Amino acid sequence: MDDYTIGVLTNVGLFSFLALSAYLLLVVGEMSFGQQAFFGVGAYAGGVLTALYGVSLPLAALGAMALGALAALAVGLPTLRLKGLYFAMSTLAAAEMARILFELLIFQKTVGGETVGPDGTQGFRGIRWVFERGVEPVEYLAIIYALLAAVLIALLLIERSRLGAVLRSVGSDSELASALGVNVGRLKLGVAAAAGALAALGGVLYAHHNTYIEPRNFDIMLGVHSLAYALIGGLGTALGPLVGVALDIGALEGSQVFGGTRMIVFGGLVAVLLILRPRGLLDERAVQWIKARFS
Amino acid sequence: MDKSALFLILGAAALPLHAQGIKAELDCRFTGTDFVYDCVVHLARGGAPLAGAQVSIGADMPSMPMAHNLKPVKAKPGAKPGDYEARLDLEMTGEWALKLRLAGPVRDQLVLHYEFDEKGARPALRRSGTPPRK
Amino acid sequence: MAALLSIQDLVTAYGKIEALKGVSLEVAEGSITCLLGPNGAGKTTLLFTTAGVLKPRSGTIRFAGKDIAGHPPHRIVRTGIALVPENRLVFPQMTVIENLRAGAYQRSGAGEIEADIDRLMQRFPRLRERAAQDAGTLSGGEQQMLAVARALMSRPKLLLMDEPSLGLAPLVVEEIFRIISDLHRDGTTILLVEQNAYMALQVAQHFYLIEQGKVTFSGDPGSLEQDEVIRRAYLGTARR
Amino acid sequence: MLDLAQNTLDGLALGASYSLLALGFTLIFGVLRRMNLSYGPAVLFGCYCATWTHLNFQAGLIALAVVTIAATVLAGAYVERLCFAPHRRGSAVAAMVASFALWMQIEEVAMLAMPRHIYPFPQLFEGAPLQFAGLSLPGDALVMLAATAAVCVLLHRLLYRSRFGLAVRAAIDNPLAASLAGIDLARTFVLVFALASAIGGLAGYLIVASHGQVTPMLGMWSTLKGLLAMMLGGLGSLPGAVLGGLALGLIEAHSQWFFGPQARDLVAYLLLFALLAARPAWMTRWTTIRSAS
């Protein structure tokens, strides 16, 4: 595979973490415009841990995920009792605040004779942990997809378990679910934390792939895209968001057929697709239909 | 695959061994046809020109870098050592994040920000994401 | 008397579930025709289909000679049919007067409309007292009167009424049925869906019994003993 | 003290543009109960069409305003037909995501047609700012305030004194009752969408003419500001949209003065977040929001 194909597949993998993060909240009926903030938290935390403190990537990833989960709780605690559009707007506000805080974040150390670390709007260069260990692009791609596979397996197992059913019940009618004894508040917070950690994991991997991050990478466009991928792909299964990402970045971007006009084609395609399948490609009905075919 | 599996398991916490910082500068000239620029990359390490590297240049938009990126271009070694030439075909003017991927004597990746216009390109003055108020 | 409204083999479904399984009935001009039947028999579906809110799957609805099946609600209102829906649909954040004006949305001639409003105010004195109030602040009975008055503002030839006495105090129910008889006296044709079979049969000239989306009986109030009708309406017509 | 007054004045002028944007947003949300993410991009499309006209023909200020408004209404109609008409009875989320997809599309069309990063736009008011009592009010700010006041008055008269206004308010209050009263909901929604787009086009023109430049950021910027102002004013209420816009303008003007440009937006978002988290009753007294999905 040439460098470009590896690059596109890596982007698909990285974006999938973010789309899955948005998907998790959608399953419990909450629409978040802010998962890109936790993606950014993961990127900055992971970058600082490896570039400034020499922590190994796996350890740094765990640290970043923990921080992502904490950040998600900090946003979720005051807002998760909000409904629909109010919750969505609070996540948007929180994420834009995070982006501006990244712009104000200046925290540098001299390591090996160079000053390294976040420098506000100048961004954060030199996250070279992966390059210094001579990891080939195709190997890093394998790591990303191994982690993605692990996350997917976990999600698909949860979906089949009792917890999966409870999550979907909260998503379809949270009043009814709480009437049946589900602690909706605590459950939604748990899901928000998990979604935050998942986005942070994607962030760490992105930072080390790109070796440079800046606040503008984590703007509202990223958040709206990840939400759209989950909704276009369909909420029936954890594979749905991946279909959304693969459709846009994989097919259209990768094909370069449309070149500059890719967004025009993607925009029109999605609008028409949503008319035919308002709940996305792999919605609940499609998943039942497929299960019926194969079980 | 051994190297990546190795460090996944080991996760050894090692001091970040830093390849000496590589500096890169870019001179680009507008070729006359829309958004196509002829560029020369000057690579230096510790002050001395870095010759003999394989350089490929990709370009991303600062916002949504994972969705907007153009096919990377392989640069040809230029006249002087440490110089590499490449023709960049961008979709539009404005600020681009150029991703230089180096292989050969040193493996690294640098990201440079340049503002492209009708004449050529100059380092982008970094302003915040929030649009400035008049 | 010629039939003002005649419905033939009307089928309306919600997705796969057929709420009306081929209903045929007629409403004679100037009459009060009553539709009785247990909950979920399809009474409201029939009114919604006639008023155009629901699209029928098949069958015809002939009104004053024209087939209006499937037409959108705003065109059906223009042909002269007005629906007073279940649980008193009003515009809660608009005043009583504005609710009435909305009812006359399709009519032109401001003078005539204001005259109609005054006439209705005489017929419904309670509405005159509340004229400038938001409809949402009215009592159940007052809202029901407002809903009827608003429907009358479009000067309908046929008035469809969906359980006007639902959830109202007995005294108010008396008043509602007095209004229905007055409307009948003034020549308005009424198709009345009503739970309160006893009161409905007092005013109706003809009635239909509907169960699980099918008409199972039709006749004049005299043709069956009152209790027999009520027994059938609510205990079903299971063969003994 | 003088600075406080000057900042307040600047804040009101800035807030006026936000109010116009929020009015357009709220009209669509109030009637359709739907969120239109293509609202800003439609305004961008309008402004780009005006810029194209300006670059190729000698067009006066009024002509450019008309082109902006007309093009915005055109883009708005396109969005309405493809994203909102098909989902009228369906899910609000599908409509919103479809409007997001068209946001991408419209912005890409605009940027491909005119790829330069920044385009000059004829200044609304060349003269020196108005000076009184030690305060200065630039001409375009004055026009912005006047335009916003005019739109508020006209909109109020339209809604409370015209037959169309009665239909719009009835559709907002109770769509089923409205259709039973003989109001053609489909036609009302299309007309309201056009009205909201026209207001957005006017706002876009005034913003671009007072800045004297057009950038591709205008689409996202106006969507965010309109949304923010609408939420601040209490979702779905037209007076709330105007007040929310002015409040946002004041917050930004004062926080920029005290803490600098970055803090300006930080304070605005922080305030919205705190407001939403605390969620005082007055924010929802006007509408009950069924969950968006």
Side-chain angles (χ1 to χ4, degrees), chain C residues 48 51 53 73-74 77-78 82-83 85 89-94 98 101-107 150 154, chain D residues 89 160 163-164 166-167 169-171 173-185 187-188 285-286:
Chain C
F48 267 10
V53 177
H74 62 274
V77 171
R78 193 172 298 137
L83 169 65
L89 230 53
V90 290
F91 300 114
Q93 274 145 57
M94 284 158 63
E98 284 174 325
R101 279 216 187 88
Y105 177 75
Q106 295 221 334
R107 287 169 50 199
R150 191 192 61 225
S154 59
Chain D
R89 285 202 171 70
Y160 289 91
R163 214 165 134 267
F164 171 67
L166 189 65
R169 283 189 305 127
D173 214 351
N174 190 326
L176 177 60
S179 63
L180 290 176
I183 293 167
D184 180 349
L185 286 183
R187 203 172 63 82
T188 307
R285 73 174 168 19
W286 203 79

Side-chain angles (χ1 to χ4, degrees), chain D residues 219-249:
Chain D
M220 184 160 78
W221 182 83
S222 32
T223 300
L224 271 181
K225 292 300 179 190
L227 215 51
L228 217 53
M230 176 169 83
M231 295 305 287
L232 272 178
L235 192 58
S237 109
L238 291 171
V242 178
L243 294 176
L246 294 177
L248 183 59

Side-chain angles (χ1 to χ4, degrees), chain A residues 16 19-20 23 26 152 155-156 159 168 226-247 279-283 287:
Chain A
S16 298
L20 278 172
Y23 160 81
L26 283 168
L152 271 176
L155 287 180
L156 291 175
E159 243 154 54
R168 285 207 185 275
S226 53
L227 189 65
Y229 288 148
L231 287 166
I232 293 156
L235 299 178
T237 147
L239 299 173
L242 272 62
V243 168
V245 177
L247 178 67
R279 287 189 62 77
L281 288 169
L282 290 173
D283 61 3
V287 170

